[in-house]
């Protein structure tokens, strides 16, 4: 990597536990989440939502609602005459849904926004919303991906020939030939529908100020939101400001610019008053993005000892109605890119389809297609080992990529440039077997218990292209650093903070890269008026891409600091070091020039600048990882990410034979995200990720009946509590990437992707005597109990 | 999720409350801890014109031992039982921690839980097991209703219009009886997917008095009379499997997203077996 | 009994209340249907009490009501007449109290949305009623956190409650 990514002369913060600056506010109730904001004269909305899964709207009657005392206006799609549909940036392999902030003519899921009541407060708005009457001519609902694939299934978008929004069928003749010549093993896996469920639901507050639109919202990217609003609303982008204050967790769900964000903006501009939307949890269950809901069919040509020679895979994702922006077909592509696992499988071809159904639109969620792939691949390997009669770990060992194989391009196109696949597996096998023996000793004689251990080893793309989801944006990030005359530093960047510690890493890296005390660094993010254009939070990208831009900007500032200091200290530039806010010759702390003196020279006493040095002490940089690809080739291959982290998971479980409940006795993982910036924050990401992964594996399930009516209320959506979450043992490996700034790989998703596979394999091990078929999640107690004979 | 328009009143005596009930008829609803009622208001599943907050009525907050058993006033909170004890009523002591979370128990009341008659609730199951007497206060004074006839369907009780539940008297079990409360819930604090309450007395190894109740597996908690019959006169150990099988057979469970009827039968068999193991001498 | 109390028997849609919030007496009139969480957030502007579900499940809205942890989203403001409430804003007179500091030092929060609820539960319950790490898990089981997986929170409580790192 280029010098421009160096961390400064005497880094002291990167790699240590820097506490977070926002915590004092958050711990005293002084946080400002969107729902905490109020404005004088503010009005609130309630959304009237479709009660049918699929139907044509034949009439909407709003009179009774509009007559309620305190109601300002009731609007439907017909009122939005100056609003454009969400943009559709078609790619070669997608069809485009017709997405509008309020349903036009047709509804395609229960929860779809149909009308909006604007009222003095939310209580009144809800009273009136109940009085809006909508008539539907109901249409047959498509409620599963199997149904959606049927050639004669009802179509959600009538101008399409089928329900396949995405259909990528690469030429598989080479792999077909290998399959024809060898023993073949086939399995089908499914991952259920669950979602991010951040503790703060969505919220937005819009206001017209000085003739411009100001929107405070919970979105994960200020600039993408701003640009999208300019596409949809008749407002120039220059006249839109998007601010993201404290956010109560995003996890991908808040990546989308939802209809309500547009609606409050439109209403605020129209009425000249602030308009707020605070989503309630009942709405959130049906109107905020769902995720996962994948099916993976694997066929592998194998040797007699189980090694995989070639794979043919079909991935199908159930997108729900797909009325969401940016689109959500990308997880299926990500799944496809991970279908080889970290194994040396030379031939793999993946056909990918994403289909529309009459369910809540699928969107992004932490892991983004990877948990699905890992579950399928790692269960497949365990089943394959059992089929051919070899040890499941030995089978993995025989195929796993060794450090000496790297860099390695997988058959799906991912460029694995570094990693610790074999080491991490050996580590968790060692720990896992010990833990399993303890479990055996404790529960082995209990007739009501079975214990098992399961493993999963995986790689995981980090810092992906945005192109897969939007067919528009790509992968860059930005950063501006400005040293003030008093030596304090202001940093702005396009990255955003939903609680994952972004602000802290920006401060940490800036302080080290400039050699200044961290207290002197002020970070400003997520205000599109104040920050350079960037893509914000998704895919564990921010430390990699945002960090890259930051280091580039810092490097420029550092160079200038040294050239001014060299002049002041009359010493050669290359002999100077910057540390603790002072510049001096290496080895002799005095004489020194302070950053404040240098900045004063650069900005105020510019007459003292050395010849040829321009005034000012600031830089803006943009970084786009070079090796990241944005569009798959004809065989469906793509290297969609800037880098790849890796991990191995082990779960030791006890199955209650009477209830089918899985108790996690030990959960162990070895994790490698390259260089670590802040160890507690990395651990916190892993803990949180595992909790979400376990939730989706054991507890969380978004069910629909065959009319497309949602069946899972929040009460039944079982977000794990501290009683369900096990203790974790985390081992760290650090294999820095040669292709990212500082060798950093993202950590945001690492925990989430492994639990389904590790638990599934542990369950198969525990119940081996019954030959259970563990090919779907969630593994609820009822599902597990059904595997056990009475 | 905001409550619909309503008015509110907070009487300080039972008479005032009964007057208000009489005056406003089925427009009015008593509000106790609100831990079931307010969520229902927020979901707009309930639309009372008037809430009569019974939280300030001292007469409903008694807790004392009487001749017929342990008397608990309707608005005694679940937390108070946990904190101040259950007067030697073991089954109640075992059951209370299963009710929601600490924060719910802090407000939720004994009377509210019983009047609400949630099929998956713990206290109705305890009441049925202990042959509790529900005492209703109405315009014409008090009326006793036995537990078996109090619960008349999911979320339905046999209080007449104009009546309030005043207190509950939990009956005694034989001095040698041992109690167990077993519940299976998806997460700590969730409503039960299935549960069993047991109070069984034995003499010299054989069962002399068996009370078993299953809950969350039908419209209301049910006494497992077939299983109780299986146990009579036998040792718990020898009757364990038969009782579990009888229990699973006699319930009428339903399917929902947490499990099929068949799964609930399996759970009841398991929980019955475990509860009986708990109480075996 | 407050002066407001006497008038309460007559049903009304506007209810006078007198309540102590973080040590200060508030005498006001609330809409009969107003949720306590909304009263604290919208009328008193104490927005540290968060609303995550409005059905009593997530715990984000937990406050200290007369010494007990209580969900403010499933209580009416009208019901708190004569009571004393502490919210997260009233937890420490100045800066961070020991529990809050322990959360900061142990990375016990990420987005911070759930945090006031955890703090209010923990500051209200008696640690002796919740022994060991299992006790800590039980004590916080009525508060959901989607970010931390509870690891940092449990460490923070151990520190604040001065418990060894095992057991
Ligand atoms: C998240 C959560 C989890 C919960 N988990 C459980 C659980 O696991 N097990 C469980 O049993 N409960 C659970 N509950 C419910 C809780 O126990 C309630 O407290 C209880 O069901 C009702 O008691 P309440 O005092 O809150 O009654 P309210 O909510 O005030 O009233 C409930 C109903 O009973 C009526 N009512 C109340 N008192 C009387 C009376 N004296 N006379 C006549 N009618 C009356 C009301 O009009 C209303 O219809 C949970 C609640 C929540 C929010
Ligand atoms: S907001 Fe009150 S418990 Fe969730
Ligand atoms: S810190 Fe985000 S929900 Fe707990």
């Amino acid at each position: 990597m280029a010098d421009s990514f160096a961390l400064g002369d005497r880094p002291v913060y990167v790699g240590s536990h820097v506490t977070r600056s926002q915590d004092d506010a958050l711990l005293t109730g002084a946080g400002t989440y969107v729902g905490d904001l109020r404005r004088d004269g503010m009005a609130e909305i309630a959304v009237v939502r479709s009660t049918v899964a699929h139907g044509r709207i034949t009439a909407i009657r709003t009179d009774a609602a509009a007559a309620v005392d305190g109601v300002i206006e009731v609007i439907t799609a017909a009122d939005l005459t100056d609003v454009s549909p969400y943009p559709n940036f078609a790619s070669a392999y997608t069809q485009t849904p017709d997405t509008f902030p309020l349903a036009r003519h047709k509804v395609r899921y229960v929860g779809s926004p149909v009308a909006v009541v604007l009222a003095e407060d939310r209580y009144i708005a809800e009273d009136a919303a109940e009085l809006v009457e909508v008539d539907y001519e109901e249409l047959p609902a498509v409620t599963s991906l199997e149904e959606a694939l049927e050639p004669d299934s009802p179509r959600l978008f009538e101008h399409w020939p089928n329900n396949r929004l995405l259909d990528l069928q690469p030429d598989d003749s080479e792999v077909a030939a290998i399959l024809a010549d060898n023993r073949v093993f086939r399995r089908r896996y499914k991952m259920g529908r669950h979602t991010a469920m951040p503790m703060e639901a969505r919220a937005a507050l819009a206001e017209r100020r000085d003739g411009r639109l100001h929107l405070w919202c919970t979105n994960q990217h200020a600039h993408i939101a701003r640009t999208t609003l300019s596409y949809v609303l008749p407002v120039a982008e220059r006249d839109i400001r998007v601010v993201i204050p404290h956010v109560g967790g995003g996890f991908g769900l808040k990546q989308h610019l939802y209809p309500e964000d547009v609606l409050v903006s439109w209403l605020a501009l129209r009425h000249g008053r602030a308009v707020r939307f605070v989503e309630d949890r009942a709405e959130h269950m049906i109107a905020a993005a769902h995720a996962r809901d994948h099916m993976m069919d694997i066929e592998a040509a194998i040797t007699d000892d189980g090694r995989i020679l070639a794979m043919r895979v079909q991935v199908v994702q159930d997108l729900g109605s797909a009325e969401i922006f940016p689109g959500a077909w990308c997880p299926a592509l990500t799944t496809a890119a991970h279908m080889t696992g970290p194994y040396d499988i030379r031939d793999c071809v993946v056909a990918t389809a994403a289909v529309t159904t009459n369910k809540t639109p699928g969107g992004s969620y932490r892991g983004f297609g990877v948990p699905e792939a890992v579950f399928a691949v790692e269960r497949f390997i365990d089943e394959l080992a059992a089929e051919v009669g070899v040890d499941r770990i030995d089978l993995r060992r025989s195929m796993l990529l060794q450090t000496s194989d790297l860099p390695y391009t997988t058959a799906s196109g991912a460029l694995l440039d570094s990693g610790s696949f074999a080491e991490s597996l050996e580590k968790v096998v060692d720990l896992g077997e010990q833990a399993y023996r303890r479990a055996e000793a404790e529960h082995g004689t209990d007739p009501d218990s079975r214990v098992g251990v399961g493993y999963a080893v995986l790689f995981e793309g980090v810092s992906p292209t945005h192109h897969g989801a939007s067919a528009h944006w790509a992968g860059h990030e930005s950063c501006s650093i400005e040293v003030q005359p008093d030596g304090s530093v202001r940093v702005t960047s396009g990255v955003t903070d939903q609680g994952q510690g972004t602000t802290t890493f920006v401060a940490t890296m800036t302080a080290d890269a400039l050699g200044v005390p961290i207290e002197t660094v002020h970070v400003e993010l997520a205000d599109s008026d104040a920050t350079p254009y960037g893509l914000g939070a998704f895919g564990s990208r921010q430390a990699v891409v945002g960090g890259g831009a930051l280091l580039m900007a810092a490097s420029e500032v550092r160079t200038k600091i040294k050239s001014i200091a060299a002049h002041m200290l009359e010493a050669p530039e290359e002999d100077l070091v910057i540390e603790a806010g002072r510049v001096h010759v290496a080895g002799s702390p005095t004489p020194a020039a302070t950053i404040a003196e240098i900045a004063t020279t650069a900005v105020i006493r510019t007459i003292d600048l050395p010849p040829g040095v321009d005034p000012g002490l600031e830089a803006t940089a943009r970084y786009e990882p070079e090796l990241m690809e944005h569009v798959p080739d004809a065989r469906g291959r793509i290297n969609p990410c800037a880098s790849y982290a890796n991990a191995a998971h082990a779960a030791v479980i006890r199955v209650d034979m009477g209830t089918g409940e899985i108790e996690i006795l030990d959960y162990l993982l070895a994790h490698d995200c390259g260089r670590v910036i802040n160890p507690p924050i990395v651990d916190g990401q892993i803990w949180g990720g595992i909790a979400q992964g376990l939730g989706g594996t054991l507890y969380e399930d978004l069910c629909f009946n065959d009319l497309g009516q949602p069946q899972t209320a929040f009460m039944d959506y079982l977000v794990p509590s501290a009683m369900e979450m096990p203790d974790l043992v985390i081992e760290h490996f650090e294999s820095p990437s040669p292709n990212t700034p500082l060798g950093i790989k993202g950590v945001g998703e690492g925990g989430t992707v492994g639990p389904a596979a590790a638990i599934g394999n542990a369950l198969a091990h525990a119940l081996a005597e019954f030959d259970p078929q563990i090919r779907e999640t969630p593994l609820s107690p009822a599902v597990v109990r059904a595997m056990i004979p009475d | 999720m905001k409550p619909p328009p309503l008015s509110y009143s907070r009487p300080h005596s039972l008479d005032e409350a009964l007057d208000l009930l009489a005056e406003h008829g089925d427009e009015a609803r008593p509000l106790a801890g609100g831990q079931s009622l307010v969520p229902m208001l927020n979901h707009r599943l309930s639309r009372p014109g008037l809430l009569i907050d019974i939280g300030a009525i001292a007469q409903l907050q008694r807790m004392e031992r009487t001749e017929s058993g342990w008397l608990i006033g309707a608005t005694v909170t679940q937390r108070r039982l946990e904190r101040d004890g259950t007067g030697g009523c073991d089954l109640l002591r075992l059951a209370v921690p299963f009710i929601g979370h600490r924060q719910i128990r802090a407000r939720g009341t004994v009377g509210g839980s019983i009047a609400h008659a949630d099929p998956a609730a713990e206290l109705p199951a305890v009441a049925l097991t202990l042959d509790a007497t529900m005492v209703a206060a109405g315009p014409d004074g008090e009326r006793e209703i036995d537990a078996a006839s109090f619960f008349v369907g999911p979320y339905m009780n046999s209080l007449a219009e104009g009546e309030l539940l005043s207190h509950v008297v939990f009956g005694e079990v034989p001095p040698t009886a041992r109690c167990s409360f077993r519940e299976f819930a998806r997460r700590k604090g969730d409503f039960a997917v299935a549960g069993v309450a047991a109070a069984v007395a034995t003499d010299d190894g054989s069962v002399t008095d068996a009370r078993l109740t299953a809950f969350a597996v039908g419209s209301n908690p049910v006494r497992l009379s077939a299983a109780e019959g299986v146990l009579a006169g036998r040792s718990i150990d020898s009757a364990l499997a038969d009782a579990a099988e009888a229990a699973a057979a006699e319930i009428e469970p339903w399917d929902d997203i947490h499990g099929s009827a068949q799964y609930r039968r399996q759970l009841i068999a398991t929980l019955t077996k475990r509860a009986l193991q708990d109480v075996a001498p | 009994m407050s002066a407001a109390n006497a008038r309460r028997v007559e049903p009304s849609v506007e209810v006078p209340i007198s309540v102590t919030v973080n040590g200060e007496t508030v005498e006001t009139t609330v809409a009969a249907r107003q949720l306590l969480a909304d009263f604290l957030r919208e009328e008193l502007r104490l927005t540290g009490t968060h609303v995550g579900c409005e059905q009593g499940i997530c715990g984000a809205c937990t406050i200290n009501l007369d010494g007990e942890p209580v969900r403010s989203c499933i209580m009416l403001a009208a019901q708190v007449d004569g009571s004393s409430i502490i919210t997260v804003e009233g937890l420490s007179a100045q800066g961070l109290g020991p529990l809050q500091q322990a959360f900061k030092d142990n990375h016990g929060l990420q987005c911070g949305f759930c945090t006031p609820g955890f703090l209010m539960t923990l500051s209200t319950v008696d640690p002796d009623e919740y022994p060991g790490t299992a006790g800590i898990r039980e004590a916080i089981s009525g508060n959901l956190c989607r970010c931390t997986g509870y690891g940092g929170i449990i460490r923070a409580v151990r520190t604040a409650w001065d418990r060894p790192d095992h057991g």
Side-chain angles (χ1 to χ4, degrees), chain A residues 302-314:
Chain A
I302 56 166
T303 63
D304 282 339
D305 53 5
R307 273 181 308 116
I308 298 173
L309 301 169
M311 280 167 94
R312 180 164 62 190
V313 181
Q314 167 83 49

CSV table of all heavy atoms in Angstrom, one decimal, chain A residues 302-314:
chain,number,residue,atom,x,y,z
A,302,ILE,N,-18.0,-34.9,-6.4
A,302,ILE,CA,-17.1,-35.2,-5.3
A,302,ILE,C,-16.2,-36.3,-5.6
A,302,ILE,O,-16.5,-37.2,-6.4
A,302,ILE,CB,-17.9,-35.5,-4.0
A,302,ILE,CG1,-18.9,-36.6,-4.2
A,302,ILE,CG2,-18.6,-34.2,-3.5
A,302,ILE,CD1,-19.4,-37.2,-2.9
A,303,THR,N,-15.1,-36.4,-4.8
A,303,THR,CA,-14.2,-37.6,-4.9
A,303,THR,C,-14.8,-38.6,-3.9
A,303,THR,O,-15.6,-38.2,-3.1
A,303,THR,CB,-12.8,-37.3,-4.5
A,303,THR,OG1,-12.8,-36.8,-3.2
A,303,THR,CG2,-12.2,-36.2,-5.5
A,304,ASP,N,-14.2,-39.8,-3.9
A,304,ASP,CA,-14.8,-40.8,-2.9
A,304,ASP,C,-14.4,-40.4,-1.5
A,304,ASP,O,-15.1,-40.8,-0.5
A,304,ASP,CB,-14.2,-42.2,-3.2
A,304,ASP,CG,-15.0,-42.8,-4.4
A,304,ASP,OD1,-16.1,-42.3,-4.7
A,304,ASP,OD2,-14.4,-43.7,-5.1
A,305,ASP,N,-13.4,-39.6,-1.3
A,305,ASP,CA,-13.1,-39.2,0.1
A,305,ASP,C,-13.8,-37.8,0.4
A,305,ASP,O,-13.4,-37.2,1.4
A,305,ASP,CB,-11.6,-39.2,0.4
A,305,ASP,CG,-10.8,-38.4,-0.6
A,305,ASP,OD1,-11.5,-37.8,-1.5
A,305,ASP,OD2,-9.6,-38.4,-0.5
A,306,GLY,N,-14.7,-37.4,-0.5
A,306,GLY,CA,-15.5,-36.3,-0.1
A,306,GLY,C,-15.1,-34.9,-0.6
A,306,GLY,O,-15.8,-33.9,-0.5
A,307,ARG,N,-13.9,-34.9,-1.2
A,307,ARG,CA,-13.4,-33.6,-1.7
A,307,ARG,C,-14.3,-33.1,-2.8
A,307,ARG,O,-14.7,-33.8,-3.7
A,307,ARG,CB,-12.0,-33.6,-2.0
A,307,ARG,CG,-11.1,-33.3,-0.8
A,307,ARG,CD,-9.6,-33.3,-1.1
A,307,ARG,NE,-9.2,-34.5,-1.8
A,307,ARG,CZ,-8.8,-34.5,-3.1
A,307,ARG,NH1,-8.6,-33.4,-3.7
A,307,ARG,NH2,-8.4,-35.7,-3.7
A,308,ILE,N,-14.5,-31.7,-2.8
A,308,ILE,CA,-15.4,-31.2,-3.8
A,308,ILE,C,-14.6,-30.7,-5.0
A,308,ILE,O,-13.7,-29.9,-4.9
A,308,ILE,CB,-16.2,-30.0,-3.2
A,308,ILE,CG1,-17.1,-30.4,-2.1
A,308,ILE,CG2,-17.0,-29.3,-4.3
A,308,ILE,CD1,-17.8,-29.3,-1.3
A,309,LEU,N,-15.0,-31.3,-6.2
A,309,LEU,CA,-14.3,-30.9,-7.4
A,309,LEU,C,-14.9,-29.7,-8.1
A,309,LEU,O,-14.2,-28.9,-8.7
A,309,LEU,CB,-14.3,-32.1,-8.4
A,309,LEU,CG,-13.7,-33.4,-7.8
A,309,LEU,CD1,-14.0,-34.6,-8.7
A,309,LEU,CD2,-12.2,-33.2,-7.6
A,310,ALA,N,-16.2,-29.7,-8.0
A,310,ALA,CA,-16.9,-28.6,-8.7
A,310,ALA,C,-18.3,-28.5,-8.1
A,310,ALA,O,-18.8,-29.4,-7.5
A,310,ALA,CB,-17.0,-28.9,-10.2
A,311,MET,N,-18.8,-27.3,-8.1
A,311,MET,CA,-20.2,-27.0,-7.5
A,311,MET,C,-21.1,-26.3,-8.5
A,311,MET,O,-20.6,-25.4,-9.2
A,311,MET,CB,-20.1,-26.1,-6.3
A,311,MET,CG,-19.6,-26.8,-5.0
A,311,MET,SD,-19.2,-25.5,-3.9
A,311,MET,CE,-20.7,-25.3,-3.0
A,312,ARG,N,-22.3,-26.7,-8.6
A,312,ARG,CA,-23.3,-25.9,-9.3
A,312,ARG,C,-24.4,-25.5,-8.2
A,312,ARG,O,-24.9,-26.4,-7.5
A,312,ARG,CB,-23.9,-26.7,-10.4
A,312,ARG,CG,-25.0,-25.9,-11.2
A,312,ARG,CD,-25.3,-26.5,-12.5
A,312,ARG,NE,-25.9,-27.9,-12.3
A,312,ARG,CZ,-26.1,-28.7,-13.3
A,312,ARG,NH1,-25.8,-28.4,-14.6
A,312,ARG,NH2,-26.6,-29.9,-13.1
A,313,VAL,N,-24.6,-24.3,-8.2
A,313,VAL,CA,-25.5,-23.8,-7.1
A,313,VAL,C,-26.6,-22.9,-7.7
A,313,VAL,O,-26.4,-22.2,-8.7
A,313,VAL,CB,-24.7,-22.9,-6.1
A,313,VAL,CG1,-25.6,-22.4,-5.0
A,313,VAL,CG2,-23.5,-23.6,-5.6
A,314,GLN,N,-27.8,-23.0,-7.1
A,314,GLN,CA,-28.9,-22.1,-7.5
A,314,GLN,C,-29.2,-21.4,-6.2
A,314,GLN,O,-29.6,-22.0,-5.2
A,314,GLN,CB,-30.0,-22.9,-8.0
A,314,GLN,CG,-31.4,-22.2,-8.1
A,314,GLN,CD,-31.5,-21.4,-9.4
A,314,GLN,OE1,-31.2,-21.9,-10.5
A,314,GLN,NE2,-31.8,-20.1,-9.3
